[in-house]
Amino acid sequence: METVLNNAAEILILIFLVITFLQSGIDKITDWKGNLSWLKGHFKDTPMKGIVPLMLGTVLIVEVVAGILCLIGIYQLGTSGESTMALYGAILSCIALLMLLFGQRMAKDYAGAMTIAVYFVPAIFLVFLLQP
């Protein structure tokens, strides 16, 4: 229990990222066609319009791996205080968010891009907390 208490902030942010990215990944898997259709419309006027399925697949993989790494990180931090997997998960979460931000900016969806910052702040703070 002491290990959990000593890493409470890190664990709580990891839980936030697990919820964020695993839910997003599951949504992309269960509603691939709906997500793809929406994104094709979203990127129709961008140079990325021809690679939407590739982008969606890439983001899906990065999000799911980030969520899994964060989940493993929660276990490791809670049991042994080890933070390597948590740090990898936090870094990959930041990369996923930067990918999403880039897409929103390319689509000129500035309000959507702004919402990515809400997720980026705790993710980058977690990277800061976990750095050796």
Side-chain angles (χ1 to χ4, degrees):
M1 187 60 145
E2 184 178 330
T3 307
V4 172
L5 293 175
N6 288 338
N7 297 293
E10 293 90 337
I11 291 171
L12 289 169
I13 299 171
L14 284 165
I15 292 169
F16 172 81
L17 294 175
V18 166
I19 292 167
T20 298
F21 289 116
L22 288 184
Q23 183 279 326
S24 183
I26 290 167
D27 178 63
K28 286 174 178 65
I29 292 167
T30 59
D31 188 22
W32 177 265
K33 287 182 183 181
N35 279 282
L36 187 58
S37 174
W38 185 85
L39 287 169
K40 282 183 177 181
H42 196 61
F43 288 105
K44 71 180 179 342
D45 297 326
T46 73
M48 298 163 23
K49 64 184 171 196
I51 59 167
V52 172
L54 176 63
M55 290 188 318
L56 181 58
T58 302
V59 168
L60 165 63
I61 291 167
V62 172
E63 287 181 341
V64 169
V65 172
I68 291 169
L69 289 173
C70 288
L71 195 59
I72 294 167
I74 293 167
Y75 175 78
Q76 286 185 329
L77 271 174
T79 58
S80 68
E82 170 61 39
S83 64
T84 304
M85 289 297 130
L87 179 59
Y88 292 159
I91 291 169
L92 196 56
S93 295
C94 287
I95 291 168
L97 291 165
L98 291 170
M99 292 166 65
L100 296 169
L101 176 69
F102 178 76
Q104 296 291 57
R105 297 289 300 182
M106 288 296 292
K108 296 186 176 156
D109 181 358
Y110 302 115
M114 192 169 42
T115 64
I116 301 298
V118 172
Y119 293 91
F120 191 74
V121 171
I124 199 70
F125 182 60
L126 181 60
V127 171
F128 172 77
L129 289 176
L130 292 170
Q131 285 183 345

